[in-house]
Amino acid sequence: MINWIRFTLMTSILASPLAAGEPRFFAKPGTEFGVYYYPEHWPEEQWERDITRIGELGFEFIHFAEFAWEKMEPAEGQYEFEWLDRVVELSAENGLKVIMCTPSPCIPAWLSTKHPDILSMDETGRRMIHQGARLTASLASPIYQSYVAKIVEQLASRYGNDPRIWGWQIGNEPHIQTVYDYSPAARQAFIQWLREKHGTVEALNASWGGPFWSFSVSDFEQVQIPTPALPQPNIHARLDFQTYTMEEIAQDLIDQAAILRRFTKPEQWITTNYAYFKFLPNVNPFLTKDALDFSAHTMYLTSNWLNHSGDSLAHRLGSGMELCFSKELANSTNGYTGIMELQPGQINWGKFNAMPLPGAGRMWVWHAFALGDEFVCTYRYRQPLFAGEQYHHGIMMTDGVTVNSGGTEFLQAVDEIRTLTPRMENDARSEFIDTTRTAFLWSNRNILDMENYKHHENWDSWQHIYTYYQGLKRLGVEVDFFEEDSIPSPEAHPFLVAPAHQMMSLELIADLEAYVRAGGNLVLSTRSGLKDPQGHLWEMKLQEPIWPLIGGEIEFYDHLPSGYPGHITQEGVTHSWHVWGNVVQPGPGTLTWATYDDQFYAGKAAVTHVSLGQGSVTYVGAWSGDWELEYQTLRKLYGQQAGELPFDLPPYVFVQFRQGLWVAVNYTDQSVRLPVPESASIHHGARDLPPAGVLVWEN
Ligand code: GAL
């Protein structure tokens, strides 16, 4: 069975029985807490001791088996589930609900030995090997697909009707180990995908700019996968391959979900644990929103690969902003989420792996709770004694029986949150949160296209997106992500931020205009609307399709060396910039909010604002070096539209509202004073919030 049949299935797959945004699986206020346990890593004699203890420590659920394919099927067709039956039963006896996983990330040795071409290839054409990593299979391989279907069917038929199983996780942190798969199976699937998308080679050549450097093909079979290992790959071909990969990764989840749904009870939910959207931009959680009940997410905060404060405690406190982003993006596909993996202590794969600051582990749990995660699952119960993650802390010491400092903090936070649960109300509202709720326009393809062709060595699409996202968090507003075809209403989301949304269709621009005219406040930035949806520049003036929206003309873009930055002044405050600056000629009625100070265009507009219909459009033409121009622009806009703003938070200090409680957390090395009203009742902490501090109050 070749892959194009799978792609046509994509649209017809069984839809989730739940309407979006209806977290009926997690109806009560508060959060449920759980832990990962790998029976396959420990002697069978210890299972009862360990699972009993997990129950005694107060966990509500336990997570099994995402890497245990070889234990479930030690030889082809020889299925062994008695061991899993036993731990499921032990879990039930100890009051623990079970998250059961499909083991697709780890194909057994007998399978890759029998079918070596089931393994994916990296961009140099090197095949993965069995003793390498996980997630090594080629998702495009029909052999992989058929074996996964069999093991998932076995699992689902055994546990799909089992009341002890709470829900299902498909695979683990969906992606391909090599990020992209360059195997012959992937090439064939890609070619078929291109046939479906473009129909004819003429259309393919037109889309890929065929005449440029004689890139045209006369037959689809002449298509090669464009690899960045070779110089100057065709950017349009590359974007198509990235988009194909995105759909292939999603299709693996959709296929597995369809099998599970044939057997699962309606009470059992199905999800996967999406990871690091920043490192895996070819993974798009929106593609599985109909097949899964919701998207779960994972986050390890202290790797030092993430965006953090950079101050003297950043390596111990980690990145609270990326926890926010991960939660809010995962939440946006179906309206609710849970965090499947949260580190309890040191991790093993960071640049270096510092001990968290005492209190940090507690803060992370509180933060995940405050963000609205329906469950928090700590990774993992016991620190592994062998293999590739030896130095990753569990909540127990290496003896397996003593709770370590991270575990103690995790359990402390659980206890504190549970104590306050009776005070929580599902329907509690905050007027500030409701009147500032912000939509963020999301498109993986857009990010990929900019990353394929940065145009300035310091362009970083993620940092640009985070510039705005962090500004929103400093205001304390909540963010929901939306895809291009689902622009929300201004009633539900009075603000819509779409930074550097480079590829825009005319339909999208019309939808944005309708949103604004109906009362929405839209923020656009530098590269917005530069290209059409296939990544070609418009055969019009620069960014001309968005001129009517921004109420001005964009004259040109400029880029500077970092050593000779330009400057922009807004309300008496000067900001530097160097990566990307668009010079704007405002039309009649359009206000200039900031101007360039220097270069040959000194005095021209850098930030503009215009009223349009019932709403407004703010255009930020440059990207500032310290992100302050953007923050102050957002502050001005939100202040004008939503009234007095309660928070003016330093970066990496966060405030969240959940079910009647306000929670502030501090990921910086300085104490911060929080503007908690005199009349508030404070449950934890004080208005002066120290590093790793948690402040919980009710207004
Ligand atoms: C996660 C992964 C887990 C484990 C963990 C260790 O990204 O899903 O299986 O490897 O990292 O930090």
Side-chain angles (χ1 to χ4, degrees), residues 660-694:
L661 297 180
W662 288 92
V663 178
V665 287
N666 182 359
Y667 287 77
T668 76
D669 63 2
Q670 303 294 314
S671 264
V672 177
R673 178 93 180 157
L674 268 294
V676 175
E678 280 309 315
S679 55
S681 6
I682 294 184
H683 297 295
H684 290 284
R687 287 181 178 79
D688 286 315
L689 189 64
V694 176

Side-chain angles (χ1 to χ4, degrees), residues 511-526:
D511 288 352
L512 293 175
E513 184 174 337
Y515 165 83
V516 172
R517 288 191 181 280
N521 298 290
L522 174 66
V523 179
L524 300 172
S525 79
T526 50

Side-chain angles (χ1 to χ4, degrees), residues 1-8 140 184-199 204 220-221 223 244 247-248:
M1 190 80 20
I2 51 174
N3 289 297
W4 64 271
I5 294 182
R6 303 174 72 219
F7 287 115
T8 55
R187 177 169 167 263
Q188 277 313 312
F190 178 46
I191 287 174
Q192 195 53 50
W193 185 92
L194 293 171
R195 287 183 198 275
E196 296 278 308
K197 177 176 176 190
H198 295 286
L204 176 79
F220 278 102
E221 291 298 327
V223 167
Y244 147 77
E247 294 184 17
E248 185 70 86

Side-chain angles (χ1 to χ4, degrees), residues 23 26-33 327 337-338 365-376 417 420-421 423-430 433 478 655-663 696-698:
F26 314 100
K28 69 186 178 65
T31 290
E32 299 190 67
F33 296 95
K327 187 272 168 183
T337 186
V365 179
W366 265 106
H367 194 189
F369 157 79
L371 279 160
D373 277 303
E374 300 286 351
F375 59 80
V376 177
I417 292 168
L420 285 178
T421 303
R423 305 193 65 85
M424 298 174 200
E425 287 172 33
N426 278 336
D427 300 333
R429 319 282 311 174
S430 148
I433 295 293
E478 291 195 1
V655 169
Q656 290 291 144
F657 176 78
R658 175 162 182 183
Q659 291 165 331
L661 297 180
W662 288 92
V663 178
V696 184
W697 77 95
E698 269 175 279

Side-chain angles (χ1 to χ4, degrees), residues 298-583:
T298 70
M299 181 50 62
Y300 293 83
L301 296 93
T302 58
S303 69
N304 283 298
W305 295 105
L306 299 170
N307 183 306
H308 58 47
S309 69
D311 69 22
S312 67
L313 288 177
H315 56 288
R316 298 203 190 281
L317 297 173
S319 176
M321 191 190 57
E322 301 229 25
L323 179 62
C324 296
F325 189 91
S326 165
K327 187 272 168 183
E328 290 192 318
L329 184 55
N331 196 77
S332 297
T333 63
N334 297 71
Y336 60 105
T337 186
I339 184 160
M340 200 62 94
E341 297 177 39
L342 183 65
Q343 70 187 89
Q346 272 169 296
I347 61 168
N348 67 296
W349 54 271
K351 287 187 189 172
F352 58 96
N353 299 291
M355 267 298 276
L357 192 72
R362 169 180 174 251
M363 174 177 74
W364 297 330
V365 179
W366 265 106
H367 194 189
F369 157 79
L371 279 160
D373 277 303
E374 300 286 351
F375 59 80
V376 177
C377 188
T378 182
Y379 192 92
R380 46 189 279 166
Y381 182 62
R382 293 179 65 176
Q383 178 166 349
L385 303 182
F386 47 70
E389 296 191 340
Q390 268 178 328
Y391 298 134
H392 187 101
H393 275 184
I395 67 159
M396 307 304 270
M397 292 185 187
T398 39
D399 64 2
V401 292
T402 314
V403 178
N404 63 22
S405 57
T408 305
E409 287 194 18
F410 188 92
L411 296 168
Q412 180 192 343
V414 170
D415 192 47
E416 290 169 346
I417 292 168
R418 281 199 187 132
T419 306
L420 285 178
T421 303
R423 305 193 65 85
M424 298 174 200
E425 287 172 33
N426 278 336
D427 300 333
R429 319 282 311 174
S430 148
E431 195 189 333
F432 165 69
I433 295 293
D434 289 345
T435 54
T436 57
R437 185 166 282 283
T438 299
F440 208 103
L441 191 58
W442 181 252
S443 155
N444 296 60
R445 269 173 58 80
N446 187 59
I447 294 170
L448 290 164
D449 190 56
M450 292 191 292
E451 288 301 295
N452 289 343
Y453 196 163
K454 290 167 177 280
H455 199 50
H456 189 302
E457 62 175 352
N458 298 132
W459 177 266
D460 181 326
S461 306
W462 281 93
Q463 292 295 87
H464 190 78
I465 286 170
Y466 286 163
T467 303
Y468 287 86
Y469 185 75
Q470 178 174 280
L472 297 169
K473 293 288 107 184
R474 291 180 64 189
L475 295 174
V477 309
E478 291 195 1
V479 174
D480 297 312
F481 292 83
F482 288 86
E483 290 196 294
E484 294 165 350
D485 60 0
S486 55
I487 299 300
S489 75
E491 288 76 41
H493 292 83
F495 297 89
L496 170 53
V497 178
H501 210 87
Q502 175 166 277
M503 297 189 296
M504 284 189 176
S505 65
L506 297 177
E507 294 73 32
L508 171 61
I509 293 169
D511 288 352
L512 293 175
E513 184 174 337
Y515 165 83
V516 172
R517 288 191 181 280
N521 298 290
L522 174 66
V523 179
L524 300 172
S525 79
T526 50
R527 296 174 86 147
S528 299
L530 191 53
K531 296 180 170 188
D532 71 16
Q534 63 181 343
H536 294 195
L537 293 174
W538 295 101
E539 194 171 357
M540 298 171 84
K541 292 186 183 134
L542 181 68
Q543 285 160 281
E544 194 174 347
I546 65 164
W547 290 5
L549 256 186
I550 69 169
E553 299 183 2
I554 298 171
E555 294 187 27
F556 57 87
Y557 44 76
D558 195 17
H559 319 279
L560 300 172
S562 56
Y564 293 96
H567 297 90
I568 293 169
T569 295
Q570 184 177 46
E571 302 198 346
V573 180
T574 299
H575 309 271
S576 72
W577 74 277
H578 80 283
V579 179
W580 198 295
N582 279 0
V583 174

